[in-house]
Amino acid sequence: MQTNLLCKETNAKSIKMSDEIDHPQLCLWLKAVSENRNKQAFTHLFNFFAPKIIRIARSKFPNEAQANEVVQETMSNVWRKAHLFNQDKGAATTWVYTVMRNVTFDMLRKVKANKEDNLSDDIWPIAEGLVSDDDAYEDHLETENLKAVIDNLPESQREVVKGFYFMEMTQEQLAEKLNLPLGTIKSRLRLALAKLKVKLGENHD
Amino acid sequence: MKDIIKSSSKAIKIPIFPLAIFLLPEGKVRLRIFEAKYLKMISIASNGQGFVIKLPKDSQKNSSATWGSLVKTEDFNQGEDGILEVDVKCLSLVKINDVSMNSDGLQFCNTKVFPHWSQQQYSQHQVAEHLADMLAGIMSEDTMLKHLYSRQLTQDPAWIVARWLELLPVSLAIKSSFVGNQDFNQAKNFVESIIHK
């Protein structure tokens, strides 16, 4: 079960902090990293995001080493890919959390790949143990704390924490699978949706 | 414990798992369950009647009634991080009525099974061959899909169109319209207009 859940104090603090996010400043730091490889700006970004990432990651990976890996991997991707951030498309926080989400999914996939063989009946006792009443109640208050944190996260991040293996393809993945340019996929989707919307409109009349 | 779910249209209230995922009959997904109330839900669901995956309200605007995917658990696993992983399969779509909440915050509802085009038989030639081939290709390359559907790959046209709808990068509101007025042919045309050579 989860062992590294958050206490009330950190929870309250994180909500307060999110009210005070200086978005223009975050954008300037990302810009400084992407254009000048500015280490000081990166340090500021690290100090801002690392504690937030580690809090989320610990709820996902009770193993501290894995949570630290999420921070490290996310922040090194931020360093390498800062030029891909476009402030017209969304907040810096959203972008960094998306990077984090991808890192988390990659790690979960690795975890899963290692576990591929472990699907026999011998996991049933474990599963039964997990859903016993005592465990559920013991966990209950901590889950409430976790829930409060989840509810305050941006949507993209909430998905990571809530957790299911996302199966819907991205436009990029679809283009790759069909061996077609991304532009072609986008225009096919646009056309198909436009046609459908006309039809749906007709149905309502 | 497996294969004990028979029918859900009885008066027993069934737990709801709110999740933004589109799942048609025969569709499968692996869930990661860690909240206490949902661990409890899995325990209740394994008593026989399964549980209902329900989309957020705003993604149901294209369908006339509130509906959900009635699922049964096919397999359990425990992730390396200790979190319970549950593979579920959608048995049928249900209309959701009379939702209530227990003291744990878990929602329950009355369900009424309704038929969907994805459960009907259509003759082989009704779906373009490349839809089946490309789907099989994607499923064999993706570790998760390959595992979930290992024994279930079929040539059934409705099954193929339904799986494509689940996989396509299209909003949930649009996908939901294929539970409302849209029939098999409309769904098939929609998928084929995106997936063609």
Side-chain angles (χ1 to χ4, degrees):
Chain A
M1 302 278 292
Q2 280 115 38
T3 50
N4 289 303
L5 291 166
L6 304 155
C7 65
K8 270 223 163 82
E9 282 77 13
T10 38
N11 179 9
K13 203 170 148 203
S14 78
I15 291 162
K16 207 172 137 212
M17 274 169 71
S18 66
D19 287 335
E20 293 163 4
I21 293 174
D22 186 350
H23 289 286
Q25 181 61 67
L26 291 176
C27 291
L28 286 177
W29 285 333
L30 274 172
K31 204 167 165 231
V33 169
S34 102
E35 288 174 1
N36 312 313
R37 307 273 89 186
N38 186 322
K39 284 185 182 153
Q40 211 190 339
F42 183 74
T43 308
H44 287 307
L45 285 170
F46 193 93
N47 290 339
F48 178 83
F49 282 109
K52 295 178 168 57
I53 296 172
I54 193 105
R55 269 202 298 266
I56 306 299
R58 275 193 190 166
S59 66
K60 192 79 176 153
F61 302 99
N63 176 338
E64 197 166 334
Q66 285 174 311
N68 287 331
E69 202 183 323
V70 174
V71 177
Q72 216 163 57
E73 195 62 28
T74 304
M75 291 315 291
S76 64
N77 281 349
V78 168
W79 172 257
R80 284 203 315 269
K81 298 177 177 176
H83 61 281
L84 295 175
F85 168 67
N86 178 352
Q87 68 180 90
D88 299 332
K89 286 188 178 166
T93 44
T94 312
W95 184 72
V96 172
Y97 292 140
T98 308
V99 173
M100 174 193 156
R101 178 174 75 152
N102 293 338
V103 166
T104 309
F105 278 147
D106 284 346
M107 283 182 60
L108 287 172
R109 261 182 228 122
K110 263 186 246 163
V111 167
K112 197 204 71 67
N114 295 339
K115 281 275 158 182
E116 202 67 278
D117 297 329
N118 187 17
L119 286 166
S120 56
D121 279 346
D122 60 6
I123 56 106
W124 276 77
I126 303 171
E128 301 242 306
L130 269 176
V131 294
S132 84
D133 275 358
D134 287 346
D135 279 355
Y137 281 113
E138 220 167 86
D139 185 43
H140 191 246
L141 287 177
E142 288 173 326
T143 306
E144 282 301 299
N145 288 340
L146 179 66
K147 198 175 153 286
V149 178
I150 293 174
D151 288 344
N152 282 294
L153 294 174
E155 195 176 351
S156 56
Q157 216 180 330
R158 225 179 298 155
E159 257 172 33
V160 177
V161 187
K162 273 214 155 168
F164 60 99
Y165 287 92
F166 206 62
M167 299 206 295
E168 188 179 279
M169 288 187 280
T170 61
Q171 296 184 352
E172 287 79 7
Q173 284 168 332
L174 185 59
E176 196 193 313
K177 298 283 182 202
L178 300 186
N179 206 8
L180 287 167
L182 182 57
T184 309
I185 291 299
K186 285 189 176 190
S187 63
R188 280 186 188 181
L189 283 166
R190 245 195 324 267
L191 270 172
L193 290 176
K195 247 194 205 157
L196 186 70
K197 277 179 180 154
V198 170
K199 219 176 278 165
L200 287 176
E202 281 168 3
N203 285 341
H204 286 304
D205 290 339
Chain B
M1 240 166 132
K2 294 177 195 175
D3 298 326
I4 42 177
I5 294 140
K6 284 177 194 115
S7 158
S8 71
S9 43
K10 287 174 273 177
I12 306 165
K13 280 203 162 188
I14 292 180
I16 294 178
F17 190 49
L19 191 67
I21 186 173
F22 185 73
L23 207 60
L24 292 175
E26 298 297 312
K28 297 182 182 186
V29 66
R30 175 169 294 179
L31 305 170
R32 291 169 52 80
I33 309 282
F34 58 90
E35 283 181 76
K37 62 179 171 186
Y38 294 124
L39 288 170
K40 247 189 147 173
M41 175 193 76
I42 295 295
S43 158
I44 295 168
S46 58
N47 287 336
Q49 68 272 45
F51 61 94
V52 174
I53 292 180
K54 179 169 162 271
L55 294 173
K57 251 202 182 96
D58 56 352
S59 50
Q60 299 217 358
K61 62 178 185 215
N62 285 328
S63 43
S64 52
T66 309
W67 61 274
S69 310
L70 176 70
V71 299
K72 75 161 181 179
T73 302
E74 288 223 306
D75 209 347
F76 286 97
N77 197 2
Q78 193 183 19
E80 206 159 76
D81 50 7
I83 290 176
L84 177 67
E85 299 185 339
V86 182
D87 292 354
V88 298
K89 174 176 163 183
C90 177
L91 299 175
S92 62
L93 300 183
V94 292
K95 292 207 166 102
I96 294 175
N97 285 308
D98 203 11
V99 178
S100 56
M101 195 184 277
N102 74 1
S103 54
D104 295 326
L106 191 59
Q107 290 184 315
F108 288 80
C109 63
N110 283 328
T111 57
K112 191 167 188 292
V113 173
F114 65 93
H116 187 247
W117 52 258
S118 60
Q119 294 161 299
Q120 285 164 33
Q121 297 288 320
Y122 302 91
S123 62
Q124 206 68 248
H125 58 83
Q126 274 185 296
V127 66
E129 203 174 297
H130 67 267
L131 277 193
D133 294 345
M134 283 176 179
L135 183 65
I138 286 170
M139 287 187 164
S140 66
E141 283 167 22
D142 185 292
T143 331
M144 176 63 66
L145 291 173
K146 197 174 164 184
H147 173 74
L148 288 174
Y149 291 106
S150 57
R151 290 175 294 272
Q152 255 83 26
L153 276 178
T154 123
Q155 291 294 314
D156 176 56
W159 190 90
I160 290 162
V161 171
R163 299 295 80 76
W164 269 116
L165 271 185
E166 290 165 354
L167 290 171
L168 283 176
V170 177
S171 77
L172 285 172
I174 292 294
K175 292 186 181 193
S176 293
S177 72
F178 293 101
V179 170
N181 296 327
Q182 307 272 78
D183 63 16
F184 167 70
N185 274 315
Q186 287 165 321
K188 183 184 80 116
N189 291 341
F190 179 75
V191 172
E192 281 180 348
S193 67
I194 299 165
I195 313 299
H196 57 84
K197 283 175 190 161

